[in-house]
PDB file of all heavy atoms in Angstrom:
ATOM      1  N   ALA A 230      34.755  30.271 -38.490  1.00 81.00           N
ATOM      2  CA  ALA A 230      35.748  29.825 -39.418  1.00 81.00           C
ATOM      3  C   ALA A 230      35.688  30.444 -40.768  1.00 81.00           C
ATOM      4  O   ALA A 230      36.715  30.782 -41.314  1.00 81.00           O
ATOM      5  CB  ALA A 230      35.391  28.311 -39.604  1.00 81.00           C
ATOM      6  N   GLN A 231      34.556  30.733 -41.118  1.00 82.00           N
ATOM      7  CA  GLN A 231      34.440  31.461 -42.504  1.00 82.00           C
ATOM      8  C   GLN A 231      35.034  32.997 -42.309  1.00 82.00           C
ATOM      9  O   GLN A 231      35.642  33.422 -43.249  1.00 82.00           O
ATOM     10  CB  GLN A 231      32.818  31.624 -42.846  1.00 82.00           C
ATOM     11  CG  GLN A 231      32.288  30.379 -43.408  1.00 82.00           C
ATOM     12  CD  GLN A 231      30.847  30.478 -43.522  1.00 82.00           C
ATOM     13  OE1 GLN A 231      30.181  31.449 -43.218  1.00 82.00           O
ATOM     14  NE2 GLN A 231      30.241  29.425 -44.203  1.00 82.00           N
ATOM     15  N   MET A 232      34.771  33.617 -41.219  1.00 80.00           N
ATOM     16  CA  MET A 232      35.323  34.970 -41.060  1.00 80.00           C
ATOM     17  C   MET A 232      36.858  34.924 -41.013  1.00 80.00           C
ATOM     18  O   MET A 232      37.438  35.761 -41.435  1.00 80.00           O
ATOM     19  CB  MET A 232      34.711  35.552 -39.742  1.00 80.00           C
ATOM     20  CG  MET A 232      33.367  36.034 -39.896  1.00 80.00           C
ATOM     21  SD  MET A 232      32.760  37.208 -38.612  1.00 80.00           S
ATOM     22  CE  MET A 232      33.404  36.438 -37.202  1.00 80.00           C
ATOM     23  N   THR A 233      37.388  33.806 -40.365  1.00 77.00           N
ATOM     24  CA  THR A 233      38.793  33.752 -40.246  1.00 77.00           C
ATOM     25  C   THR A 233      39.437  33.584 -41.586  1.00 77.00           C
ATOM     26  O   THR A 233      40.610  34.145 -41.781  1.00 77.00           O
ATOM     27  CB  THR A 233      39.218  32.440 -39.296  1.00 77.00           C
ATOM     28  OG1 THR A 233      38.490  32.683 -38.017  1.00 77.00           O
ATOM     29  CG2 THR A 233      40.681  32.344 -39.147  1.00 77.00           C
ATOM     30  N   PHE A 234      38.932  32.766 -42.439  1.00 79.00           N
ATOM     31  CA  PHE A 234      39.583  32.476 -43.758  1.00 79.00           C
ATOM     32  C   PHE A 234      39.241  33.493 -44.744  1.00 79.00           C
ATOM     33  O   PHE A 234      40.021  33.765 -45.701  1.00 79.00           O
ATOM     34  CB  PHE A 234      39.113  31.065 -44.169  1.00 79.00           C
ATOM     35  CG  PHE A 234      39.718  29.994 -43.258  1.00 79.00           C
ATOM     36  CD1 PHE A 234      38.925  29.176 -42.730  1.00 79.00           C
ATOM     37  CD2 PHE A 234      41.103  29.850 -43.142  1.00 79.00           C
ATOM     38  CE1 PHE A 234      39.407  28.212 -41.847  1.00 79.00           C
ATOM     39  CE2 PHE A 234      41.613  28.858 -42.344  1.00 79.00           C
ATOM     40  CZ  PHE A 234      40.728  28.069 -41.667  1.00 79.00           C
ATOM     41  N   LEU A 235      38.066  34.169 -44.709  1.00 77.00           N
ATOM     42  CA  LEU A 235      37.583  35.190 -45.751  1.00 77.00           C
ATOM     43  C   LEU A 235      38.113  36.560 -45.415  1.00 77.00           C
ATOM     44  O   LEU A 235      38.143  37.352 -46.401  1.00 77.00           O
ATOM     45  CB  LEU A 235      36.215  34.927 -45.901  1.00 77.00           C
ATOM     46  CG  LEU A 235      35.668  33.641 -46.581  1.00 77.00           C
ATOM     47  CD1 LEU A 235      34.139  33.692 -46.695  1.00 77.00           C
ATOM     48  CD2 LEU A 235      36.261  33.303 -47.769  1.00 77.00           C
ATOM     49  N   HIS A 236      38.112  36.807 -44.088  1.00 71.00           N
ATOM     50  CA  HIS A 236      38.612  38.207 -43.565  1.00 71.00           C
ATOM     51  C   HIS A 236      37.785  39.342 -44.395  1.00 71.00           C
ATOM     52  O   HIS A 236      38.228  40.458 -44.735  1.00 71.00           O
ATOM     53  CB  HIS A 236      40.068  38.415 -44.046  1.00 71.00           C
ATOM     54  CG  HIS A 236      40.930  37.459 -43.547  1.00 71.00           C
ATOM     55  ND1 HIS A 236      41.360  37.416 -42.115  1.00 71.00           N
ATOM     56  CD2 HIS A 236      41.693  36.557 -44.166  1.00 71.00           C
ATOM     57  CE1 HIS A 236      42.102  36.325 -42.055  1.00 71.00           C
ATOM     58  NE2 HIS A 236      42.444  35.815 -43.130  1.00 71.00           N
ATOM     59  N   GLU A 237      36.404  39.145 -44.392  1.00 70.00           N
ATOM     60  CA  GLU A 237      35.559  40.099 -45.015  1.00 70.00           C
ATOM     61  C   GLU A 237      34.638  40.666 -44.018  1.00 70.00           C
ATOM     62  O   GLU A 237      33.532  41.159 -44.423  1.00 70.00           O
ATOM     63  CB  GLU A 237      34.714  39.364 -46.062  1.00 70.00           C
ATOM     64  CG  GLU A 237      35.456  38.968 -47.253  1.00 70.00           C
ATOM     65  CD  GLU A 237      34.618  38.266 -48.333  1.00 70.00           C
ATOM     66  OE1 GLU A 237      33.340  38.237 -48.121  1.00 70.00           O
ATOM     67  OE2 GLU A 237      35.157  37.787 -49.340  1.00 70.00           O
ATOM     68  N   THR A 238      34.925  40.791 -42.741  1.00 71.00           N
ATOM     69  CA  THR A 238      34.141  41.360 -41.865  1.00 71.00           C
ATOM     70  C   THR A 238      34.858  42.579 -40.995  1.00 71.00           C
ATOM     71  O   THR A 238      36.021  42.515 -40.948  1.00 71.00           O
ATOM     72  CB  THR A 238      33.628  40.263 -40.749  1.00 71.00           C
ATOM     73  OG1 THR A 238      34.782  39.799 -40.082  1.00 71.00           O
ATOM     74  CG2 THR A 238      32.761  39.329 -41.362  1.00 71.00           C
ATOM     75  N   SER A 239      33.960  43.374 -40.511  1.00 76.00           N
ATOM     76  CA  SER A 239      34.536  44.514 -39.669  1.00 76.00           C
ATOM     77  C   SER A 239      34.829  43.979 -38.118  1.00 76.00           C
ATOM     78  O   SER A 239      34.360  42.979 -37.883  1.00 76.00           O
ATOM     79  CB  SER A 239      33.659  45.635 -39.655  1.00 76.00           C
ATOM     80  OG  SER A 239      32.441  45.272 -38.909  1.00 76.00           O
ATOM     81  N   LEU A 240      35.545  44.716 -37.527  1.00 74.00           N
ATOM     82  CA  LEU A 240      35.854  44.323 -36.238  1.00 74.00           C
ATOM     83  C   LEU A 240      34.773  44.431 -35.199  1.00 74.00           C
ATOM     84  O   LEU A 240      34.492  43.470 -34.510  1.00 74.00           O
ATOM     85  CB  LEU A 240      37.051  45.329 -35.550  1.00 74.00           C
ATOM     86  CG  LEU A 240      37.330  45.038 -34.173  1.00 74.00           C
ATOM     87  CD1 LEU A 240      37.990  43.713 -33.990  1.00 74.00           C
ATOM     88  CD2 LEU A 240      38.267  46.064 -33.641  1.00 74.00           C
ATOM     89  N   GLY A 241      33.675  45.347 -35.513  1.00 72.00           N
ATOM     90  CA  GLY A 241      32.553  45.395 -34.744  1.00 72.00           C
ATOM     91  C   GLY A 241      31.760  44.244 -34.970  1.00 72.00           C
ATOM     92  O   GLY A 241      31.097  43.858 -33.929  1.00 72.00           O
ATOM     93  N   GLU A 242      31.519  43.837 -36.153  1.00 76.00           N
ATOM     94  CA  GLU A 242      30.804  42.640 -36.433  1.00 76.00           C
ATOM     95  C   GLU A 242      31.393  41.348 -35.915  1.00 76.00           C
ATOM     96  O   GLU A 242      30.636  40.477 -35.359  1.00 76.00           O
ATOM     97  CB  GLU A 242      30.663  42.371 -37.920  1.00 76.00           C
ATOM     98  CG  GLU A 242      29.658  41.267 -38.292  1.00 76.00           C
ATOM     99  CD  GLU A 242      29.602  41.160 -39.908  1.00 76.00           C
ATOM    100  OE1 GLU A 242      30.076  41.977 -40.569  1.00 76.00           O
ATOM    101  OE2 GLU A 242      28.949  40.135 -40.265  1.00 76.00           O
ATOM    102  N   PHE A 243      32.650  41.305 -35.892  1.00 77.00           N
ATOM    103  CA  PHE A 243      33.366  40.106 -35.319  1.00 77.00           C
ATOM    104  C   PHE A 243      33.189  40.156 -33.826  1.00 77.00           C
ATOM    105  O   PHE A 243      32.924  39.045 -33.271  1.00 77.00           O
ATOM    106  CB  PHE A 243      34.875  40.200 -35.625  1.00 77.00           C
ATOM    107  CG  PHE A 243      35.646  39.039 -35.160  1.00 77.00           C
ATOM    108  CD1 PHE A 243      35.467  37.862 -35.777  1.00 77.00           C
ATOM    109  CD2 PHE A 243      36.502  39.091 -34.091  1.00 77.00           C
ATOM    110  CE1 PHE A 243      36.215  36.631 -35.358  1.00 77.00           C
ATOM    111  CE2 PHE A 243      37.240  38.029 -33.567  1.00 77.00           C
ATOM    112  CZ  PHE A 243      37.102  36.731 -34.380  1.00 77.00           C
ATOM    113  N   LEU A 244      33.192  41.253 -33.115  1.00 77.00           N
ATOM    114  CA  LEU A 244      33.039  41.329 -31.714  1.00 77.00           C
ATOM    115  C   LEU A 244      31.658  41.033 -31.271  1.00 77.00           C
ATOM    116  O   LEU A 244      31.446  40.308 -30.295  1.00 77.00           O
ATOM    117  CB  LEU A 244      33.433  42.667 -31.067  1.00 77.00           C
ATOM    118  CG  LEU A 244      35.030  43.017 -31.217  1.00 77.00           C
ATOM    119  CD1 LEU A 244      35.144  44.471 -30.683  1.00 77.00           C
ATOM    120  CD2 LEU A 244      35.679  41.981 -30.281  1.00 77.00           C
ATOM    121  N   GLU A 245      30.721  41.449 -32.047  1.00 77.00           N
ATOM    122  CA  GLU A 245      29.379  41.136 -31.786  1.00 77.00           C
ATOM    123  C   GLU A 245      29.103  39.632 -31.967  1.00 77.00           C
ATOM    124  O   GLU A 245      28.327  39.065 -31.163  1.00 77.00           O
ATOM    125  CB  GLU A 245      28.430  41.897 -33.040  1.00 77.00           C
ATOM    126  CG  GLU A 245      26.955  41.638 -32.867  1.00 77.00           C
ATOM    127  CD  GLU A 245      26.070  42.346 -33.831  1.00 77.00           C
ATOM    128  OE1 GLU A 245      26.705  43.212 -34.548  1.00 77.00           O
ATOM    129  OE2 GLU A 245      24.917  42.029 -33.931  1.00 77.00           O
ATOM    130  N   LYS A 246      29.628  38.999 -32.909  1.00 80.00           N
ATOM    131  CA  LYS A 246      29.380  37.544 -33.067  1.00 80.00           C
ATOM    132  C   LYS A 246      30.156  36.775 -31.897  1.00 80.00           C
ATOM    133  O   LYS A 246      29.545  35.755 -31.567  1.00 80.00           O
ATOM    134  CB  LYS A 246      30.006  37.142 -34.460  1.00 80.00           C
ATOM    135  CG  LYS A 246      29.242  37.420 -35.686  1.00 80.00           C
ATOM    136  CD  LYS A 246      27.855  36.950 -35.526  1.00 80.00           C
ATOM    137  CE  LYS A 246      26.990  37.285 -36.796  1.00 80.00           C
ATOM    138  NZ  LYS A 246      25.734  36.709 -36.767  1.00 80.00           N
ATOM    139  N   ILE A 247      31.166  37.285 -31.513  1.00 81.00           N
ATOM    140  CA  ILE A 247      31.885  36.638 -30.307  1.00 81.00           C
ATOM    141  C   ILE A 247      30.886  36.757 -29.057  1.00 81.00           C
ATOM    142  O   ILE A 247      30.783  35.784 -28.329  1.00 81.00           O
ATOM    143  CB  ILE A 247      33.238  37.227 -29.983  1.00 81.00           C
ATOM    144  CG1 ILE A 247      34.214  36.756 -31.128  1.00 81.00           C
ATOM    145  CG2 ILE A 247      33.714  36.798 -28.629  1.00 81.00           C
ATOM    146  CD1 ILE A 247      35.614  37.455 -31.013  1.00 81.00           C
ATOM    147  N   LEU A 248      30.440  37.920 -28.868  1.00 79.00           N
ATOM    148  CA  LEU A 248      29.484  37.978 -27.640  1.00 79.00           C
ATOM    149  C   LEU A 248      28.290  37.209 -27.745  1.00 79.00           C
ATOM    150  O   LEU A 248      27.713  36.728 -26.829  1.00 79.00           O
ATOM    151  CB  LEU A 248      29.140  39.501 -27.427  1.00 79.00           C
ATOM    152  CG  LEU A 248      30.524  40.284 -26.869  1.00 79.00           C
ATOM    153  CD1 LEU A 248      30.194  41.704 -26.849  1.00 79.00           C
ATOM    154  CD2 LEU A 248      30.895  39.629 -25.494  1.00 79.00           C
ATOM    155  N   ILE A 249      27.559  37.048 -28.985  1.00 83.00           N
ATOM    156  CA  ILE A 249      26.459  36.200 -29.302  1.00 83.00           C
ATOM    157  C   ILE A 249      26.874  34.780 -28.937  1.00 83.00           C
ATOM    158  O   ILE A 249      26.172  33.972 -28.359  1.00 83.00           O
ATOM    159  CB  ILE A 249      26.093  36.371 -30.690  1.00 83.00           C
ATOM    160  CG1 ILE A 249      25.279  37.720 -30.878  1.00 83.00           C
ATOM    161  CG2 ILE A 249      24.990  35.311 -31.079  1.00 83.00           C
ATOM    162  CD1 ILE A 249      25.013  38.068 -32.302  1.00 83.00           C
ATOM    163  N   PHE A 250      28.140  34.396 -29.311  1.00 85.00           N
ATOM    164  CA  PHE A 250      28.569  33.026 -29.074  1.00 85.00           C
ATOM    165  C   PHE A 250      28.544  32.789 -27.593  1.00 85.00           C
ATOM    166  O   PHE A 250      28.134  31.749 -27.124  1.00 85.00           O
ATOM    167  CB  PHE A 250      29.968  32.799 -29.682  1.00 85.00           C
ATOM    168  CG  PHE A 250      30.583  31.558 -29.427  1.00 85.00           C
ATOM    169  CD1 PHE A 250      30.420  30.405 -30.007  1.00 85.00           C
ATOM    170  CD2 PHE A 250      31.466  31.450 -28.380  1.00 85.00           C
ATOM    171  CE1 PHE A 250      30.939  29.223 -29.756  1.00 85.00           C
ATOM    172  CE2 PHE A 250      32.187  30.245 -27.941  1.00 85.00           C
ATOM    173  CZ  PHE A 250      31.913  29.164 -28.757  1.00 85.00           C
ATOM    174  N   PHE A 251      29.194  33.724 -26.768  1.00 82.00           N
ATOM    175  CA  PHE A 251      29.180  33.619 -25.372  1.00 82.00           C
ATOM    176  C   PHE A 251      27.857  33.619 -24.683  1.00 82.00           C
ATOM    177  O   PHE A 251      27.555  32.930 -23.760  1.00 82.00           O
ATOM    178  CB  PHE A 251      30.114  34.616 -24.707  1.00 82.00           C
ATOM    179  CG  PHE A 251      31.537  34.288 -24.783  1.00 82.00           C
ATOM    180  CD1 PHE A 251      32.444  34.913 -25.658  1.00 82.00           C
ATOM    181  CD2 PHE A 251      32.095  33.219 -23.983  1.00 82.00           C
ATOM    182  CE1 PHE A 251      33.781  34.613 -25.706  1.00 82.00           C
ATOM    183  CE2 PHE A 251      33.360  32.854 -24.054  1.00 82.00           C
ATOM    184  CZ  PHE A 251      34.256  33.495 -24.909  1.00 82.00           C
ATOM    185  N   LEU A 252      26.905  34.342 -25.333  1.00 82.00           N
ATOM    186  CA  LEU A 252      25.504  34.252 -24.761  1.00 82.00           C
ATOM    187  C   LEU A 252      24.922  32.830 -25.016  1.00 82.00           C
ATOM    188  O   LEU A 252      24.375  32.324 -23.990  1.00 82.00           O
ATOM    189  CB  LEU A 252      24.580  35.255 -25.460  1.00 82.00           C
ATOM    190  CG  LEU A 252      24.847  36.772 -24.928  1.00 82.00           C
ATOM    191  CD1 LEU A 252      23.994  37.732 -25.842  1.00 82.00           C
ATOM    192  CD2 LEU A 252      24.468  36.891 -23.499  1.00 82.00           C
ATOM    193  N   TYR A 253      25.100  32.308 -26.086  1.00 88.00           N
ATOM    194  CA  TYR A 253      24.633  30.824 -26.333  1.00 88.00           C
ATOM    195  C   TYR A 253      25.348  30.036 -25.296  1.00 88.00           C
ATOM    196  O   TYR A 253      24.768  29.036 -24.676  1.00 88.00           O
ATOM    197  CB  TYR A 253      24.922  30.404 -27.795  1.00 88.00           C
ATOM    198  CG  TYR A 253      24.138  31.037 -28.868  1.00 88.00           C
ATOM    199  CD1 TYR A 253      24.613  31.413 -30.050  1.00 88.00           C
ATOM    200  CD2 TYR A 253      22.790  31.175 -28.660  1.00 88.00           C
ATOM    201  CE1 TYR A 253      23.865  31.958 -30.969  1.00 88.00           C
ATOM    202  CE2 TYR A 253      21.892  31.747 -29.708  1.00 88.00           C
ATOM    203  CZ  TYR A 253      22.551  32.097 -30.867  1.00 88.00           C
ATOM    204  OH  TYR A 253      21.786  32.673 -31.757  1.00 88.00           O
ATOM    205  N   PHE A 254      26.675  30.197 -25.188  1.00 85.00           N
ATOM    206  CA  PHE A 254      27.416  29.277 -24.316  1.00 85.00           C
ATOM    207  C   PHE A 254      26.944  29.448 -22.884  1.00 85.00           C
ATOM    208  O   PHE A 254      26.880  28.348 -22.091  1.00 85.00           O
ATOM    209  CB  PHE A 254      28.877  29.649 -24.423  1.00 85.00           C
ATOM    210  CG  PHE A 254      29.740  28.717 -23.656  1.00 85.00           C
ATOM    211  CD1 PHE A 254      30.192  27.648 -24.120  1.00 85.00           C
ATOM    212  CD2 PHE A 254      30.271  29.201 -22.498  1.00 85.00           C
ATOM    213  CE1 PHE A 254      30.975  26.708 -23.484  1.00 85.00           C
ATOM    214  CE2 PHE A 254      31.158  28.351 -21.716  1.00 85.00           C
ATOM    215  CZ  PHE A 254      31.475  27.100 -22.195  1.00 85.00           C
ATOM    216  N   GLU A 255      26.591  30.694 -22.420  1.00 83.00           N
ATOM    217  CA  GLU A 255      26.254  30.869 -21.093  1.00 83.00           C
ATOM    218  C   GLU A 255      24.703  30.282 -20.819  1.00 83.00           C
ATOM    219  O   GLU A 255      24.551  29.736 -19.764  1.00 83.00           O
ATOM    220  CB  GLU A 255      26.132  32.333 -20.750  1.00 83.00           C
ATOM    221  CG  GLU A 255      27.451  32.942 -20.587  1.00 83.00           C
ATOM    222  CD  GLU A 255      27.481  34.451 -20.394  1.00 83.00           C
ATOM    223  OE1 GLU A 255      26.400  35.031 -20.527  1.00 83.00           O
ATOM    224  OE2 GLU A 255      28.530  34.967 -20.215  1.00 83.00           O
ATOM    225  N   PHE A 256      23.853  30.312 -21.780  1.00 86.00           N
ATOM    226  CA  PHE A 256      22.503  29.835 -21.688  1.00 86.00           C
ATOM    227  C   PHE A 256      22.718  28.161 -21.530  1.00 86.00           C
ATOM    228  O   PHE A 256      22.015  27.588 -20.712  1.00 86.00           O
ATOM    229  CB  PHE A 256      21.675  30.104 -22.796  1.00 86.00           C
ATOM    230  CG  PHE A 256      21.010  31.455 -22.514  1.00 86.00           C
ATOM    231  CD1 PHE A 256      21.224  32.524 -23.364  1.00 86.00           C
ATOM    232  CD2 PHE A 256      20.039  31.708 -21.552  1.00 86.00           C
ATOM    233  CE1 PHE A 256      20.589  33.686 -23.169  1.00 86.00           C
ATOM    234  CE2 PHE A 256      19.490  32.908 -21.416  1.00 86.00           C
ATOM    235  CZ  PHE A 256      19.715  33.904 -22.150  1.00 86.00           C
ATOM    236  N   ILE A 257      23.484  27.661 -22.365  1.00 90.00           N
ATOM    237  CA  ILE A 257      23.780  26.165 -22.303  1.00 90.00           C
ATOM    238  C   ILE A 257      24.270  25.859 -21.095  1.00 90.00           C
ATOM    239  O   ILE A 257      23.872  24.861 -20.317  1.00 90.00           O
ATOM    240  CB  ILE A 257      24.688  25.699 -23.468  1.00 90.00           C
ATOM    241  CG1 ILE A 257      23.899  25.857 -24.780  1.00 90.00           C
ATOM    242  CG2 ILE A 257      24.960  24.286 -23.231  1.00 90.00           C
ATOM    243  CD1 ILE A 257      24.800  25.685 -26.019  1.00 90.00           C
ATOM    244  N   SER A 258      25.288  26.594 -20.585  1.00 87.00           N
ATOM    245  CA  SER A 258      25.968  26.233 -19.071  1.00 87.00           C
ATOM    246  C   SER A 258      24.856  26.380 -18.007  1.00 87.00           C
ATOM    247  O   SER A 258      24.884  25.621 -17.132  1.00 87.00           O
ATOM    248  CB  SER A 258      27.048  27.125 -18.872  1.00 87.00           C
ATOM    249  OG  SER A 258      27.998  27.096 -19.773  1.00 87.00           O
ATOM    250  N   MET A 259      23.924  27.441 -18.229  1.00 86.00           N
ATOM    251  CA  MET A 259      22.882  27.633 -17.257  1.00 86.00           C
ATOM    252  C   MET A 259      21.868  26.383 -17.196  1.00 86.00           C
ATOM    253  O   MET A 259      21.505  25.975 -16.171  1.00 86.00           O
ATOM    254  CB  MET A 259      22.194  28.900 -17.462  1.00 86.00           C
ATOM    255  CG  MET A 259      21.308  29.285 -16.294  1.00 86.00           C
ATOM    256  SD  MET A 259      20.549  30.873 -16.490  1.00 86.00           S
ATOM    257  CE  MET A 259      19.401  30.771 -17.764  1.00 86.00           C
ATOM    258  N   ILE A 260      21.657  25.838 -18.355  1.00 89.00           N
ATOM    259  CA  ILE A 260      20.728  24.734 -18.448  1.00 89.00           C
ATOM    260  C   ILE A 260      21.321  23.444 -17.710  1.00 89.00           C
ATOM    261  O   ILE A 260      20.803  22.655 -16.977  1.00 89.00           O
ATOM    262  CB  ILE A 260      20.244  24.387 -19.739  1.00 89.00           C
ATOM    263  CG1 ILE A 260      19.353  25.447 -20.312  1.00 89.00           C
ATOM    264  CG2 ILE A 260      19.523  23.034 -19.912  1.00 89.00           C
ATOM    265  CD1 ILE A 260      19.067  25.453 -21.788  1.00 89.00           C
ATOM    266  N   VAL A 261      22.696  23.328 -18.042  1.00 89.00           N
ATOM    267  CA  VAL A 261      23.433  22.182 -17.402  1.00 89.00           C
ATOM    268  C   VAL A 261      23.468  22.430 -15.859  1.00 89.00           C
ATOM    269  O   VAL A 261      23.299  21.391 -15.192  1.00 89.00           O
ATOM    270  CB  VAL A 261      24.822  22.081 -18.112  1.00 89.00           C
ATOM    271  CG1 VAL A 261      25.717  21.208 -17.133  1.00 89.00           C
ATOM    272  CG2 VAL A 261      24.761  21.657 -19.421  1.00 89.00           C
ATOM    273  N   LYS A 262      23.746  23.625 -15.438  1.00 86.00           N
ATOM    274  CA  LYS A 262      23.779  23.870 -13.964  1.00 86.00           C
ATOM    275  C   LYS A 262      22.446  23.648 -13.342  1.00 86.00           C
ATOM    276  O   LYS A 262      22.328  23.154 -12.329  1.00 86.00           O
ATOM    277  CB  LYS A 262      24.347  25.323 -13.815  1.00 86.00           C
ATOM    278  CG  LYS A 262      24.602  25.722 -12.458  1.00 86.00           C
ATOM    279  CD  LYS A 262      25.969  24.981 -12.111  1.00 86.00           C
ATOM    280  CE  LYS A 262      26.496  25.481 -10.850  1.00 86.00           C
ATOM    281  NZ  LYS A 262      27.623  24.709 -10.229  1.00 86.00           N
ATOM    282  N   TYR A 263      21.281  23.925 -14.061  1.00 87.00           N
ATOM    283  CA  TYR A 263      19.949  23.594 -13.598  1.00 87.00           C
ATOM    284  C   TYR A 263      19.782  22.260 -13.304  1.00 87.00           C
ATOM    285  O   TYR A 263      19.248  21.985 -12.170  1.00 87.00           O
ATOM    286  CB  TYR A 263      19.053  24.062 -14.698  1.00 87.00           C
ATOM    287  CG  TYR A 263      17.561  23.685 -14.381  1.00 87.00           C
ATOM    288  CD1 TYR A 263      16.849  24.483 -13.525  1.00 87.00           C
ATOM    289  CD2 TYR A 263      16.917  22.540 -14.927  1.00 87.00           C
ATOM    290  CE1 TYR A 263      15.529  24.018 -13.143  1.00 87.00           C
ATOM    291  CE2 TYR A 263      15.679  22.285 -14.723  1.00 87.00           C
ATOM    292  CZ  TYR A 263      14.853  23.052 -13.846  1.00 87.00           C
ATOM    293  OH  TYR A 263      13.527  22.651 -13.636  1.00 87.00           O
ATOM    294  N   PHE A 264      20.274  21.328 -14.070  1.00 89.00           N
ATOM    295  CA  PHE A 264      20.126  19.966 -13.774  1.00 89.00           C
ATOM    296  C   PHE A 264      21.020  19.316 -12.688  1.00 89.00           C
ATOM    297  O   PHE A 264      20.751  18.503 -11.909  1.00 89.00           O
ATOM    298  CB  PHE A 264      20.257  19.138 -15.020  1.00 89.00           C
ATOM    299  CG  PHE A 264      19.028  19.135 -15.996  1.00 89.00           C
ATOM    300  CD1 PHE A 264      19.106  19.904 -17.175  1.00 89.00           C
ATOM    301  CD2 PHE A 264      17.822  18.709 -15.689  1.00 89.00           C
ATOM    302  CE1 PHE A 264      18.111  20.007 -18.031  1.00 89.00           C
ATOM    303  CE2 PHE A 264      16.713  18.711 -16.498  1.00 89.00           C
ATOM    304  CZ  PHE A 264      16.877  19.406 -17.795  1.00 89.00           C
TER     305      PHE A 264
END
Side-chain angles (χ1 to χ4, degrees):
Q231 290 173 347
M232 284 193 319
T233 302
F234 295 118
L235 298 177
H236 305 289
E237 295 180 3
T238 60
S239 66
L240 180 62
E242 184 181 353
F243 184 72
L244 290 175
E245 180 181 349
K246 290 295 183 179
I247 287 175
L248 288 170
I249 289 172
F250 174 84
F251 278 108
L252 284 172
Y253 288 140
F254 186 79
E255 287 175 356
F256 276 116
I257 293 168
S258 298
M259 191 168 72
I260 291 171
V261 169
K262 194 70 169 171
Y263 170 78
F264 288 108

